[in-house]
Amino acid sequence: MKNTVVVGAQFGDEGKAKITDLLAQEADFITRFQGGSNAGHTVVVEGKKFAFHLIPSGILYENKICMIGANCVIKPDDLKKEIEDIINQGVKKEQFEKCLKISPLAHITMKYHTDIDGLNENTLGKNKIGTTKKGIGPTYTDKYARCGIRVEDLFNKETLSKKLDIILPKKNKELEFIYDLKPYTKEEIMEECECYRKILAPYVDFNWQENLLNIKNNKSILFEGAQGVMLDVNYGTYPYVTSSSPTAGGAAFGASMGPMVIERAIGVFKAYMTRVGEGAFITELTDETGEKLRQIGGEYGVTTGRARRCGWFDAISAKYAVLVGGLSEVALTKLDVLDSFDEIKIAVAYKNKSTGEIMTNYPTDVFVHNNLEAVYETHKGWKTDISKCKNYSELPENAKKYLKRLEELLGIKITIVSVGPDRNQTIFI
Ligand code: GDP
Ligand code: IMO
Ligand code: MG
């Protein structure tokens, strides 16, 4: 298999994990390259449903190395629970010990990061971002402010102690005077870190440089993204974004291997769109059509259980995601969710409600989005159950027309179509 990146190309929850799990069959090494347990990734194998948050979706195969990469953030107690939940579903403990690797450079989400995330959201009130409250933003903030704690620090008490002497006085001021939270003693943080060390110890790959070199030279690699391009901190609907880079470019640095390794970048798009959390969503449907998409698509968050906002496919933001996300092909998921619709719409332009101006380029200032409405073209539905289709030729003509039109608008090929949650409900074109 060519070294492949799989990224979400909308607002997350596009069905990336299903695609990653599927492609993982052909890969030797699967690596998550950004994000943390804000992600909720569902894999369905023969009707059995698994939920992943931080663990790469390739973990269900034996003999594949699954790595949590350098640009990920880890909340060790969440990871512990995630592993336990999967073990309870029948995956062997030894499978994790053998296959799960963690980069020593990944950053740790401390208790105070989760507290700060929650408090920031409460303070913002109606202007909140709608985060998952998993401490993601505050962990990346500390990383870039050069006062984070990395996985490797947990394994060197001397380094950790020196670092805390620098970090903690400032952090305590922030906790006390900005957030009205209790300050920590150095001993308390050392104790918290010791618990985390014990959790992570079986998985940390201190020999990662040699191992990655070997993998780069001899193995096939699958890079697994979380979130989606429109939630990217650089290119998404800023500030209503996550704090990392879920693009093919992000994969290159996040997995410690650089851009020359990547040969294929698959953008996963839903056949319609969803979003959880706040922020503009120009094609959002707040009527019964939106509710119908939510019910048929089962659009409720895996991590927070929140109802996802639903709307039609937005080809303007999609074309933008192809560009900035560095995408070379499309996996289109949940086409079956549209089976019963008489009409299916695609946004092909935006209209400024005040001036009437028509735009076909994506405006990056999201504060103007409220003044924009979608200009739609309407396609006839196929009104047929496609969930058992195995080949492109079996798809109804109107479904094929819809796919062709999306390809035309995005300028890249659709190579995978998903017609149900299970591994085998997939059409390769
Ligand atoms: P991810 O975060 O991008 O991996 O996606 P999620 O797991 O959060 O959400 C996708 C949901 O859609 C999950 O419940 C999947 O099992 C389901 N799903 C994935 N592909 C399909 C599909 O083609 N059809 C249907 N009906 N469900 C799908
Ligand atoms: P997967 O990988 C959908 C959203 C949150 C919020 C914003 C910032 O399952 O597609 P954060 O907690 O990251 O600081 O929240 O990003 N968000 C997601 N939305 N799917 C996800 O992951 C998400 N991860 C974060 O809802 O709007
Ligand atoms: Mg998800």
Side-chain angles (χ1 to χ4, degrees):
M1 190 189 84
K2 284 185 174 174
N3 293 336
T4 303
V5 178
V6 176
V7 293
Q10 295 163 331
F11 294 113
D13 302 326
E14 300 89 348
K16 299 174 290 295
K18 171 185 162 161
I19 304 299
T20 311
D21 164 75
L22 206 62
L23 298 176
Q25 287 179 70
E26 308 278 316
D28 303 305
F29 178 75
I30 301 104
T31 177
R32 259 288 289 275
F33 58 85
Q34 45 73 229
S37 46
N38 48 348
H41 293 167
T42 318
V43 173
V44 182
V45 187
E46 289 166 12
K48 196 166 172 182
K49 204 172 184 173
F50 297 87
F52 301 116
H53 300 282
L54 192 56
I55 297 170
S57 307
I59 198 73
L60 297 176
Y61 299 95
E62 285 179 22
N63 300 323
K64 315 260 178 199
I65 300 299
C66 291
M67 184 142 191
I68 299 173
N71 194 34
C72 291
V73 296
I74 303 175
K75 190 162 185 294
D77 28 9
D78 278 0
L79 181 65
K80 180 170 179 265
K81 181 167 184 310
E82 186 179 344
I83 293 173
E84 283 166 0
D85 286 349
I86 301 170
I87 289 173
N88 286 338
Q89 284 184 280
V91 175
K92 292 203 176 75
K93 188 168 165 259
E94 297 75 43
Q95 167 77 355
F96 290 95
E97 285 159 5
K98 189 174 74 174
C99 296
L100 183 65
K101 307 281 173 207
I102 295 176
S103 169
L105 304 187
H107 275 246
I108 299 291
T109 296
M110 302 292 291
K111 282 203 193 89
Y112 52 73
H113 289 130
T114 343
D115 289 342
I116 290 174
D117 197 359
L119 284 166
N120 275 338
E121 285 287 276
N122 291 345
T123 311
L124 283 168
K126 68 177 179 32
N127 296 316
K128 70 179 193 284
I129 306 294
T131 76
T132 57
K133 299 192 180 171
K134 294 283 178 184
I136 305 298
T139 312
Y140 279 108
T141 301
D142 279 358
K143 169 176 174 163
Y144 287 104
R146 294 163 291 191
C147 56
I149 296 173
R150 304 206 286 196
V151 169
E152 65 181 4
D153 301 334
L154 308 179
F155 294 82
N156 187 333
K157 283 210 167 105
E158 218 174 297
T159 306
L160 183 63
S161 165
K162 276 187 201 152
K163 274 196 172 179
L164 289 179
D165 287 339
I166 303 167
I167 296 170
L168 201 55
K170 183 168 162 264
K171 191 55 98 197
N172 274 338
K173 273 192 192 149
E174 184 188 335
L175 293 173
E176 269 191 283
F177 300 118
I178 299 183
Y179 295 104
D180 205 15
L181 288 169
K182 92 171 181 41
Y184 285 86
T185 63
K186 187 170 160 187
E187 289 64 38
E188 283 170 327
I189 299 288
M190 294 288 281
E191 212 170 289
E192 187 182 343
C193 287
E194 176 55 15
C195 290
Y196 295 163
R197 186 194 64 76
K198 285 188 186 143
I199 295 172
L200 301 185
Y203 316 111
V204 180
D205 184 10
F206 288 106
N207 202 25
W208 65 274
Q209 296 178 35
E210 199 177 312
N211 289 338
L212 283 193
L213 194 63
N214 176 38
I215 284 160
K216 216 172 125 174
N217 291 333
N218 304 303
K219 308 283 186 193
S220 53
I221 305 165
L222 186 60
F223 298 84
E224 177 178 30
Q227 290 79 54
V229 175
M230 299 312 290
L231 290 173
D232 178 278
V233 68
N234 301 291
Y235 299 107
T237 51
Y238 190 88
Y240 299 95
V241 292
T242 192
S243 300
S244 65
S245 295
T247 59
F253 74 85
S256 319
M257 276 181 279
M260 304 306 281
V261 179
I262 298 168
E263 297 167 291
R264 202 179 161 203
I266 301 178
V268 185
F269 291 86
K270 250 177 221 180
Y272 50 97
M273 269 171 100
T274 61
R275 174 165 207 170
V276 273
E278 307 303 314
F281 180 2
I282 296 175
T283 58
E284 181 173 10
L285 295 162
T286 50
D287 56 6
E288 71 264 24
T289 310
E291 189 53 36
K292 186 174 169 186
L293 283 170
R294 186 175 305 115
Q295 291 315 324
I296 300 176
E299 298 297 355
Y300 295 88
V302 183
T303 299
T304 59
R306 289 180 290 179
R308 296 173 181 154
R309 300 154 68 192
C310 297
W312 294 121
F313 192 96
D314 176 356
I316 301 303
S317 75
K319 202 172 61 169
Y320 170 79
V322 170
L323 176 72
V324 299
L327 310 178
S328 61
E329 57 194 273
V330 173
L332 193 81
T333 62
K334 304 191 97 160
L335 190 63
D336 55 298
V337 173
L338 301 179
D339 281 354
S340 63
F341 284 77
D342 294 324
E343 288 184 334
I344 296 157
K345 296 190 182 190
I346 305 174
V348 291
Y350 300 148
K351 183 175 167 188
N352 185 312
K353 288 189 241 176
S354 318
T355 63
E357 184 199 352
I358 299 289
M359 307 172 195
T360 51
N361 277 329
Y362 180 77
T364 51
D365 173 359
V366 295
F367 290 94
V368 308
H369 284 200
N370 285 340
N371 202 30
L372 300 177
E373 63 187 19
V375 179
Y376 289 111
E377 61 179 34
T378 303
H379 293 252
K380 268 206 179 122
W382 40 92
K383 310 282 281 179
T384 314
D385 176 2
I386 61 166
S387 65
K388 293 182 186 63
C389 291
K390 298 278 177 232
N391 299 300
Y392 180 75
S393 59
E394 291 171 44
L395 287 173
E397 275 317 303
N398 284 349
K400 286 183 190 162
K401 279 187 193 157
Y402 185 64
L403 298 180
K404 279 268 163 278
R405 181 61 179 144
L406 291 180
E407 275 189 339
E408 209 171 85
L409 289 163
L410 300 187
I412 53 173
K413 292 277 176 215
I414 299 173
T415 54
I416 300 172
V417 178
S418 174
V419 294
D422 214 281
R423 267 183 193 164
N424 60 20
Q425 291 176 294
T426 314
I427 298 170
F428 289 91
I429 304 175

